[in-house]
Amino acid sequence: MKILTVLGARPQFIKAAPVSRVLREKHTELIIHTGQHYDNNMSDIFFEELNIPKPDYLLGVGSGNHGKQTGEMLQKIEEIVLKEEPDYLLVYGDTNSTLAGALVAAKLHVPVIHIEAGLRSFNKLMPEEINRIMTDHVSEYLFCPTDTAVANLKNENITRNVYNIGDVMYDAVLYNRELAEEKSDVLAVNGLEKKGFHLITIHRAENTDDLQNMKNILEAFSKIDTVKVWPMHPRTKNKLASYGLELKDIPNLRVIDPVGYLDMLTLEANAQKIITDSGGVQKEAYFMKVPCVTIREQTEWVETLEEDANILAGTSVEKILAGIKKEVTPSYRELFGDGKASQKLVELIENR
Ligand code: UD1
Ligand code: UDP
C-alpha cells in the first residue's frame, strides 16, 4: 500500500510516531507537513525525539486566519495527491491540517483514513468540532479511540468501516515513558520536586481568544500557592501580550517555553495535578494516573470524568479553584485500549 499522511500540528506528530513505525514495516508512507506549526519546539523537536521519518513534502503554510491557512493547504496538498496517486490518505485529529487533507483526498476519490475519529464536544463554536465533523463525514476508515466515539458516529449515521482500536496516544506513552524517565532533566533544570507542583497548559482558542476567560484563569491561578509550571503555547503567549495581561501576581509560577515530548511526559508523570484545556494532555493525565482539571465547558473525553480522574471545571474563577482543590480517588480503569492501537489499525486496513 502507498499511504500519504498529512501532519501539521504538535499533537499530530505525537500520534504519527507509533503509527508510522508500524505502517512502514510493510508499506510505503509519504509524509506531508503542512507547516501549520513551525517553531523548533512545536515541530522539529518531535520528529527528532520520536524518530518520525522526515517529511517528504514541507508546505510551509504557517499561521493565518482559518480560510487562508486551510485554503493554502488545500491547493498544495491537491498537487501532491494528483502527483503521488496514493492508495489512501491518512489524517489525525481535528486541526485545519486534518480537514484540508481529508477534503482534498475525498474530492479526488482517494479513500481517507481518519485516526481519532468520532470525537464530539457538541460545540460548533470550536474550530476543532467543525474540522472533525467534516473529516468524519468524508472518511472511508474511521478509527475511534473509545466506544463513545463509535456511538457519536452512529448518531450521525456513520457505521461503515468504524472501529474502536483504542488510542494511538496511549501507544506513544507506553513506548516513551521509560525513555523519558532516563533522558529528561526537566525537573532538575526547573528546580521541581516530584509531586510538588501543578502542570499547566492552556492554548485552546475558546480560552485564549476570550479576554474574560483568560482573566478568570489567571485570577484562579493567583489564588493557588503550589508551585506551578506552565510550558506556554505560542498562541497563549501572543494573546496575553496583546491583552496586556501580566502574570506577576501569580505566586510560584514558572512559565517556560513549550517542551519536547519526553520532558512533557516527565512533567506530567511527576505533577501533583494537571490543569489544562488540551485534548491530548487530558488523556495523558489519565495514562499517568495524575488528577486532571480541565478548564473548558465541554470535553470529548467524557469517560475520564466518569472515572473521577478529570474534573470539568468550566471557566469561572470559583469553579477552577474548586476543581484544583478537590480531592479525588479515581479508579483509572483501562479506557483507551491496550497500547496496540497502531498495530490494530494497520491490520484492519491490510485485511480490508
Ligand atoms: C492548533 C489546532 C488545535 C490544536 C493545537 C495543538 C486548529 C484550528 N487548531 O491550534 O486544535 O489543539 O493546534 O497545539 O487547527 N504559533 C507560533 N508558532 C508555531 C505555531 C503557532 O508562533 O509554531 C502561533 C501563531 O501566532 C499562530 C498561533 O500560534 O497564529 C496559533 O496557531 P494555529 O496553528 O493557528 O492554531 P493553534 O492554536 O496552534
Ligand atoms: N506537549 C508537549 N509539549 C508541550 C505541551 C504539550 O510535548 O509543551 C504534547 C502533549 O504531551 C501531548 C500533545 O502535545 O502529547 C498535546 O498537544 P496540544 O496540547 O498542543 O493539542 P491538543 O491535544 O489539545 O489538540
Side-chain angles (χ1 to χ4, degrees):
M1 294 191 289
K2 179 175 178 181
I3 309 233
L4 195 55
T5 295
V6 177
L7 307 176
R10 174 168 70 186
Q12 292 165 336
F13 310 139
I14 291 157
K15 289 165 201 174
V19 176
S20 287
R21 197 178 311 120
V22 180
L23 205 52
R24 286 175 188 237
E25 284 171 9
K26 291 195 208 153
H27 307 285
T28 304
E29 185 194 35
L30 297 175
I31 293 180
I32 300 177
H33 185 331
T34 63
Q36 177 169 352
H37 287 175
Y38 44 86
D39 291 345
N40 178 61
N41 58 15
M42 295 294 288
S43 175
D44 293 5
I45 191 170
F46 299 100
F47 284 83
E48 286 153 22
E49 273 190 343
L50 297 171
N51 282 322
I52 305 165
K54 272 204 181 352
D56 299 276
Y57 293 95
L58 290 166
L59 307 188
V61 169
S63 306
N65 289 339
H66 289 279
K68 180 176 178 295
Q69 191 182 50
T70 314
E72 208 175 307
M73 289 177 194
L74 287 171
Q75 263 183 349
K76 292 184 169 175
I77 296 170
E78 186 176 61
E79 283 172 22
I80 300 166
V81 175
L82 286 170
K83 180 176 147 217
E84 293 290 350
E85 299 183 342
D87 297 311
Y88 297 96
L89 184 139
L90 191 158
V91 290
Y92 296 89
D94 51 21
T95 72
N96 288 349
S97 300
T98 314
L99 175 62
L103 201 51
V104 166
K107 292 274 184 87
L108 294 175
H109 306 163
V110 173
V112 176
I113 300 168
H114 187 201
I115 298 181
E116 215 176 65
L119 297 185
R120 296 290 181 270
S121 63
F122 304 101
N123 174 3
K124 282 199 186 146
L125 295 176
M126 292 174 61
E128 293 86 1
E129 185 77 353
I130 298 167
N131 291 342
R132 53 173 92 104
I133 291 174
M134 307 277 285
T135 301
D136 283 339
H137 280 259
V138 296
S139 289
E140 180 67 22
Y141 284 91
L142 298 102
F143 292 115
C144 300
T146 59
D147 289 336
T148 310
V150 173
N152 288 339
L153 291 176
K154 193 161 179 238
N155 286 339
E156 293 171 23
N157 292 322
I158 303 176
T159 52
R160 202 170 60 91
N161 292 336
V162 173
Y163 303 96
N164 177 356
I165 54 164
D167 201 312
V168 296
M169 289 190 93
Y170 189 37
D171 298 13
V173 166
L174 293 182
Y175 193 87
N176 290 289
R177 197 154 49 181
E178 281 170 21
L179 192 66
E181 226 166 88
E182 255 170 54
K183 288 207 164 166
S184 170
D185 58 0
V186 69
L187 299 184
V189 165
N190 292 287
L192 299 167
E193 301 282 335
K194 287 187 174 187
K195 298 293 166 187
F197 63 95
H198 294 330
L199 172 64
I200 297 172
T201 82
I202 297 288
H203 75 279
R204 288 301 179 97
E206 63 205 270
N207 284 326
T208 56
D209 293 11
D210 185 316
L211 173 62
Q212 191 57 51
N213 279 5
M214 287 315 287
K215 279 186 177 167
N216 291 354
I217 290 168
L218 299 189
E219 189 181 334
F221 293 166
S222 74
K223 295 182 173 152
I224 298 282
D225 281 333
T226 311
V227 170
K228 292 165 284 298
V229 61
W230 186 349
M232 196 176 276
H233 191 289
R235 176 188 202 100
T236 314
K237 191 175 172 190
N238 294 342
K239 282 287 173 180
L240 289 179
S242 77
Y243 297 143
L245 290 176
E246 292 187 13
L247 304 168
K248 61 180 182 343
D249 293 334
I250 304 177
N252 298 318
L253 176 66
R254 294 171 203 174
V255 174
I256 58 176
D257 286 336
V259 295
Y261 185 60
L262 299 182
D263 282 350
M264 189 63 182
L265 290 184
T266 305
L267 289 172
E268 288 171 341
N270 292 290
Q272 218 176 79
K273 290 205 171 174
I274 295 177
I275 305 161
T276 192
D277 62 6
S278 157
V281 175
Q282 285 176 66
K283 282 181 294 176
E284 286 166 355
Y286 193 88
F287 303 148
M288 301 289 186
K289 300 189 168 50
V290 174
C292 186
V293 179
T294 297
I295 304 191
R296 286 182 49 193
E297 301 295 341
Q298 308 89 17
T299 178
E300 298 77 22
W301 306 105
V302 287
E303 302 81 359
T304 61
L305 303 179
E306 287 153 17
E307 297 298 306
D308 222 14
N310 188 6
I311 294 171
L312 192 60
T315 50
S316 78
V317 179
E318 297 71 30
K319 283 196 179 158
I320 296 171
L321 279 173
I324 297 173
K325 286 180 181 159
K326 191 171 172 202
E327 293 295 325
V328 290
T329 46
S331 40
Y332 294 115
R333 282 181 308 138
E334 210 160 76
L335 297 175
F336 296 97
D338 55 6
K340 296 194 173 71
S342 310
Q343 279 100 316
K344 281 183 196 156
L345 84 89
V346 173
E347 279 166 23
L348 281 162
I349 306 168
E350 283 170 348
N351 299 326
R352 69 205 178 276

